[in-house]
């Protein structure tokens, strides 16, 4: 199976194990669904409910307010396509502590797996052109697992495309609880 | 003067309010304030590509302890709908905005500009408590309204009448 794409869930499990204790991790769409199945930490922002496309923007805000903390954003490819300008906003603002992971499955997985308009898009190329300092493209789980430390520690802003298999028939993420309370807990963790 | 307020006046108000970041897409009126805000060196300008981003960037800043403000044109308010819904109503974050009201003072550039039709109904629809400023004497209302909204922990906006596009 060495040519096979990793599953999004396996990629998330590997990230969960590798994230640093002070990192804030922002997840949306299928990555949020998979992240929620793992033990949660106060510095997790499960961005559900979301405005589609804006996980990158909320991550940028957190990264700018706390430049000494790493902000890791796990985004869907459809969501990325919806807010491509945020690539320029991130690099333009010099958010060197931001790590953006795009889970490229070619579809809108959580709405039933419809094809996106951008299956031909070279996300890594877009990120390079937008000025990300380090850009990675990984499709095998063993490569992601081996390189995840390098990705997180690379000169930022960092962009990594994780080419993943869409999970068919798995329901989308459900809100893990009242957003206002979760916002308050995250604020305490970030400001504490 | 082509703007009700000068950049120095706006920068002074932002300073007084302890604003740390101004998340913005400019227009020809509010864009004139950028250099004064930067010259003062207290609030940082965060330039985004579309206004929907501005609310979510401000949300992230706010969650992480900064004091952001959104500064956009009313056209950008129209562009921002889903982000406003998410930030102000799902997550209930008290983000404050200064919004330029295109064509309010004259419609020479864009006769019949529909911004005049939709700006205030849209603010009402999004349940944003706003104050419309139409005179240069109303500068103090910006800080007053910001403080009132902050003390209640709710979002709000100042809408600044503009003369051109
Ligand atoms: C503005 C907007 N348009 C459409 C939707 C419907 N919608 C919800 S999730 C989703 C797909 C997300 O796709 P992607 O970001 O690729 O993540 P994946 O589901 O593949 O993990 C869509 C289209 C929405 N919530 N908001």
């Amino acid at each position: 199976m060495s040519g096979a794409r990793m599953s999004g869930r396996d990629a998330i499990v590997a990230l969960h194990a590798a994230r640093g204790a002070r990192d804030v991790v922002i997840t949306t769409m299928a990555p949020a669904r998979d992240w929620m199945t793992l033990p949660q930490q106060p510095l997790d922002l499960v961005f559900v409910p979301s405005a589609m496309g804006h996980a990158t923007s909320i991550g940028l805000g957190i990264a700018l307010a706390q430049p000494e903390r790493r902000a890791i954003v796990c985004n869907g490819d459809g969501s990325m396509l919806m807010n491509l300008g945020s690539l320029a906003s991130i690099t333009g603002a010099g958010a060197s502590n931001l790590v953006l992971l795009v889970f490229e499955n070619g579809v809108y997985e959580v709405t039933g797996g419809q094809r996106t308009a951008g299956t031909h898009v070279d996300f890594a190329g877009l990120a390079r052109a937008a000025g990300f300092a380090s850009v990675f493209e990984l499709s095998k789980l063993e490569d992601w697992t081996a390189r995840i430390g390098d990705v997180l520690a690379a000169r930022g802003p960092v962009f990594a495309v994780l080419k993943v298999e869409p999970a068919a028939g798995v329901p989308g993420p459900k809100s893990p609880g009242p957003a206002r309370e979760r916002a308050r807990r995250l604020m305490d963790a970030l400001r504490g | 003067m082509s703007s009700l307020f000068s950049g120095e006046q706006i920068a002074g108000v932002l300073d007084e309010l302890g604003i740390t970041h101004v998340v913005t897409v400019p227009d020809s009126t509010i864009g004139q304030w950028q250099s004064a805000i930067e010259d003062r060196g207290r609030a940082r300008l965060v330039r985004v590509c579309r206004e929907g981003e501005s609310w979510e960037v401000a949300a992230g800043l706010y969650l992480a302890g900064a004091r952001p403000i959104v500064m956009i044109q009313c056209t950008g308010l129209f562009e921002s709908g889903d982000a406003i819904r998410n930030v102000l109503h799902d997550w209930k974050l008290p983000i404050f905005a200064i919004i330029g009201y295109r064509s309010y003072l004259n419609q020479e550039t864009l006769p019949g500009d529909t911004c005049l039709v939709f700006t205030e109904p849209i603010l009402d629809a999004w349940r944003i408590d706003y104050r419309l400023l139409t005179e240069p004497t109303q500068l103090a209302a910006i800080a007053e309204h910001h403080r009132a909204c902050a003390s209640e922990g709710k979002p709000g906006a100042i809408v600044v009448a503009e003369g051109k596009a």
Side-chain angles (χ1 to χ4, degrees):
Chain A
M1 289 280 289
S2 61
R5 286 180 168 214
M6 61 189 137
S7 80
R9 185 180 154 75
D10 286 345
I12 280 288
V13 170
L15 175 68
H16 191 271
R19 72 92 69 92
R22 296 197 72 255
D23 295 342
V24 58
V25 180
I26 299 138
T27 51
T28 189
M29 304 301 171
R33 176 197 66 207
D34 294 335
W35 189 265
M36 275 189 266
T37 64
L38 302 168
Q40 300 297 288
Q41 293 191 26
L43 287 169
D44 296 344
L45 171 54
V46 173
F47 189 40
V48 181
S50 70
M52 182 175 166
H54 287 294
T56 47
S57 303
I58 204 163
L60 173 57
I62 292 173
L64 292 179
Q66 300 202 356
E68 72 297 340
R69 188 191 295 282
R70 189 160 52 199
I72 303 170
V73 178
C74 300
N75 206 15
D77 50 355
S79 298
M80 191 70 254
L81 289 166
M82 199 175 270
N83 195 3
L84 282 179
S86 66
L87 295 176
S89 303
I90 288 165
T91 53
S96 57
N97 55 327
L98 190 139
V99 177
L100 171 51
L101 308 176
V102 172
F103 289 66
E104 187 193 331
N105 56 13
V107 296
Y108 298 121
E109 180 174 314
V110 306
T111 53
Q114 305 85 356
R115 206 166 73 94
T116 72
T119 48
H120 60 291
V121 166
D122 170 9
F123 284 96
L126 285 178
R128 267 186 218 104
F132 276 75
S134 304
V135 177
F136 301 84
E137 193 173 79
L138 298 143
S139 58
K140 292 187 209 158
L141 183 62
E142 57 266 35
D143 294 340
W144 171 230
T145 311
R147 301 212 56 199
I148 191 164
D150 298 338
V151 171
L152 297 184
R155 194 162 71 84
V158 177
F159 185 97
V161 197
L162 304 180
K163 294 187 176 263
V164 299
E165 275 301 332
V170 187
K174 247 180 82 175
S175 170
R180 177 184 255 171
E181 273 100 271
R182 289 192 289 129
R184 205 157 286 151
R185 283 201 297 274
L186 178 65
M187 275 162 58
D188 290 345
L190 282 168
R191 298 172 181 201
Chain B
M1 186 164 66
S2 56
S3 162
L4 287 187
F5 310 119
S6 69
E8 287 71 24
Q9 286 177 311
I10 294 293
V13 171
L14 299 179
D15 207 357
E16 179 190 335
L17 292 170
I19 299 301
T20 57
H21 297 78
V22 179
V23 192
T24 190
V25 177
D27 68 5
S28 52
T29 301
I30 63 182
Q32 292 174 36
W33 303 336
Q34 287 193 357
S35 56
I37 294 168
E38 285 190 311
D39 289 349
R40 192 172 271 250
R42 302 291 281 270
R44 175 177 172 186
L45 286 184
V46 182
R47 296 174 171 88
V48 291
C49 301
R50 53 175 277 231
E51 291 83 352
E53 284 182 72
S54 66
W55 301 88
E56 299 281 358
V57 171
L61 286 161
Y62 175 81
L63 288 169
R67 277 171 82 85
I69 203 168
V70 166
M71 195 179 278
I72 56 176
Q73 193 184 58
C74 57
T75 49
L77 171 74
F78 307 144
E79 198 284 323
S80 295
D82 197 40
I84 290 178
R85 182 197 57 72
N86 181 244
V87 168
L88 304 190
H89 298 293
D90 287 347
W91 290 88
K92 300 187 173 26
L93 302 180
I95 302 302
F96 196 88
I98 296 180
I99 297 169
Y101 199 158
R102 190 174 84 179
S103 301
Y104 188 93
L105 297 175
N106 78 62
Q107 295 176 55
E108 273 165 29
T109 317
L110 296 170
D113 189 355
T114 53
C115 284
L116 298 171
V117 179
F118 294 110
T119 298
E120 293 179 75
I122 290 286
L123 285 161
D124 289 334
W126 288 121
R127 300 179 190 160
I128 295 175
D129 182 5
Y130 69 93
R131 298 284 178 277
L132 170 60
L133 310 188
T134 58
E135 302 286 341
T137 52
Q138 292 175 297
L139 181 71
I142 301 177
E144 274 163 29
H145 188 47
H146 185 282
R147 288 204 181 94
C149 290
S151 72
E152 289 182 53
K154 68 175 196 185
I158 288 291
V159 181
V160 180
E162 297 180 346
K164 54 179 189 156

